[in-house]
Amino acid sequence: MTTNNSPEKPPIDTHPAYRFGAFLSGWFLRYERQLANFLNRGQHRVGFRVRNCLLGLIGLHFLLYFISLLFQ
């Protein structure tokens, strides 16, 4: 019985796949922040009461839709 006691190699920062993954994660993070800021600005323009009514109507729609799927 042999065992391999060599430690795992750490990721190499200069590897092209590592750099590409780091680039994509940075891009997605920037895009997510831009989208969140846009949605927050829109939320404050519309008002919380209107937003809550729309979310309630969407939730009711999905609730009724899934209930209707149960009875088919």
Side-chain angles (χ1 to χ4, degrees):
M1 182 168 92
T2 61
T3 58
N4 187 0
N5 292 334
S6 63
E8 292 186 23
K9 296 179 181 177
I12 301 171
D13 295 349
T14 58
H15 193 276
Y18 182 86
R19 287 185 293 170
F20 183 68
F23 168 76
L24 278 182
S25 66
W27 184 82
F28 278 122
L29 184 62
R30 285 191 304 276
Y31 181 71
E32 178 189 11
R33 286 183 181 161
Q34 288 175 357
L35 181 62
N37 288 335
F38 171 75
L39 291 175
N40 284 336
R41 282 192 306 272
Q43 171 178 301
H44 288 290
R45 264 196 316 263
V46 169
F48 290 101
R49 183 176 294 162
V50 174
R51 182 203 62 165
N52 289 340
C53 289
L54 287 174
L55 289 175
L57 288 173
I58 291 170
L60 181 65
H61 173 267
F62 279 113
L63 178 69
L64 293 175
Y65 174 72
F66 288 119
I67 289 174
S68 70
L69 287 179
L70 289 174
F71 293 111
Q72 285 186 359

